[in-house]
Structure formats: structure tokens, C-alpha cells
């Protein structure tokens, strides 16, 4: 907010650092900075050069904070993982209910444990020797299969969650 008010590349860089740290804590936030990089030239005040400097400062600072984590994930998992490896797990855990008749409720922790245990029993490729990124891919693939099989239920459940989020 201060970057958009003052137009200072320093504040834009600080925002990049903040988003980097936040993305390390909550991996869903890792997708917002690329969108902000597209929007910042329109939001920042000042000359075109100052707006470009602010946008570059934001992007570089965000990237510098995230870089050690991305490098570690590449080294350990052999694949590009910019955030965490629980996204697929969370997608499956919270959307497996779409395949049931009672799909419009909040998934309790116990529900998730039962669903994941059933998935592990059913999927022979979900072995204990998989790394986090490989497991995440299996969970994400399963979640997407459920969502594709029930797109209207997914939209209804997402709408309910959106309303609950903002009320």
C-alpha cells in the first residue's frame, strides 16, 4: 500500500520481501506476486521509469527471498516447487467429498484422515518412498479427477466457501 501511495522503489522492494516471506509461510500466496508484477506498472505513481523501477524492485526482492527455497526443492525433489508441497494434499482432502452425496459441508480433520487413508490403500503408487513433490502430484491428480468428475458440485462448494470466507 505504501509503495502504491509513495511510488518509492524502496517500498515496492519491501513489499516484495513481505510477499516472499508470506509465500514461505503460506504457499498459496506464491501465485499473487506474478499477478502484481503485471499490475504494479499501472498502480505505482510517478514516471514510467519510476514505475518500472518499483516493479523490478518488487520482483527482485520477492525472487531473492524465495530463491533459496526453490533451489533447495529443486535439489531435493528434482523438480520446480516454488512454494510448499501440501497443495495437492489439501486439494484432495478438501474436495474428495465432491464424490459423495453430502458434499456441501466443511471437511473436518477426521474426514480428511479417513479419505487420505482410503486413497493410500487404493493407490499402489502412493508409496512411502516417494518424496514430497511426488506425493503432492498424486494427491493433486486425484483431486483434479474428482473435480473434473463433478464440476457443478465443485462450483457450488467453492461458492459456499467463498461466501463463508467473506462473511
Amino acid at each position: 500500500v505504501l509503495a502504491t501511495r509513495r511510488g518509492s522503489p524502496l517500498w515496492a522492494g519491501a513489499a516484495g520481501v513481505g510477499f516472499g516471506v508470506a509465500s514461505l509461510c503460506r504457499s498459496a500466496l506464491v501465485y499473487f506476486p506474478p499477478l502484481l508484477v503485471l499490475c504494479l506498472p499501472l498502480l505505482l505513481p510517478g514516471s514510467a521509469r519510476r514505475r518500472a523501477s518499483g516493479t523490478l524492485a518488487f520482483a527482485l526482492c520477492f525472487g531473492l527471498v524465495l530463491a533459496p527455497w526453490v533451489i533447495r526443492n529443486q535439489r531435493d525433489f528434482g523438480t520446480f516447487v516454488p512454494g510448499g508441497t501440501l497443495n495437492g494434499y489439501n486439494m484432495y482432502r478438501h474436495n474428495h467429498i465432491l464424490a459423495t452425496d453430502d458434499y456441501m459441508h466443511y471437511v473436518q480433520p477426521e474426514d480428511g484422515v479417513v479419505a487420505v487413508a482410503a486413497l493410500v490403500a487404493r493407490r499402489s503408487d502412493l508409496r512411502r518412498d516417494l518424496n514430497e513433490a511426488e506425493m503432492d502430484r498424486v494427491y493433486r491428480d486425484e483431486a483434479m479427477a474428482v473435480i473434473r468428475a463433478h464440476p457443478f458440485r465443485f462450483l457450488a462448494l467453492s461458492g459456499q466457501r467463498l461466501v463463508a470466507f467473506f462473511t
Side-chain angles (χ1 to χ4, degrees):
V1 170
L2 287 173
T4 60
R5 287 186 183 157
R6 297 185 181 161
S8 166
L10 186 62
W11 282 110
V17 169
F19 267 97
V21 171
S23 296
L24 291 173
C25 298
R26 190 71 170 163
S27 62
L29 289 174
V30 79
Y31 303 106
F32 287 95
L35 295 172
L36 280 172
V37 165
L38 297 174
C39 296
L40 276 176
L42 304 172
L43 298 173
L44 294 174
S47 68
R49 183 180 185 144
R50 190 161 175 89
R51 290 192 311 267
S53 296
T55 302
L56 183 62
F58 176 84
L60 285 175
C61 289
F62 173 73
L64 285 172
V65 171
L66 229 55
W69 183 248
V70 172
I71 292 167
R72 176 255 181 204
N73 286 343
Q74 181 68 42
R75 185 195 68 215
D76 290 355
F77 304 139
T79 188
F80 177 73
V81 179
T85 54
L86 284 175
N87 293 333
Y89 169 80
N90 285 326
M91 276 180 66
Y92 180 74
R93 183 175 169 274
H94 289 287
N95 291 295
H96 77 278
I97 59 173
L98 295 172
T100 69
D101 289 334
D102 184 24
Y103 63 92
M104 294 292 281
H105 72 276
Y106 179 78
V107 177
Q108 298 295 327
E110 313 78 58
D111 301 331
V113 168
V114 170
V116 168
L119 178 63
V120 169
R122 183 171 52 83
R123 292 282 305 249
S124 61
D125 59 340
L126 198 54
R127 306 175 319 272
R128 293 194 184 272
D129 64 333
L130 295 178
N131 68 41
E132 291 174 33
E134 292 166 330
M135 291 179 83
D136 187 61
R137 194 172 307 114
V138 172
Y139 285 122
R140 187 176 54 247
D141 291 347
E142 282 289 326
M144 291 306 297
V146 171
I147 291 167
R148 276 191 220 102
H150 306 283
F152 296 111
R153 287 181 177 189
F154 176 72
L155 288 173
L157 182 60
S158 295
Q160 178 196 40
R161 289 173 176 165
L162 184 69
V163 168
F165 182 73
F166 285 105
T167 58

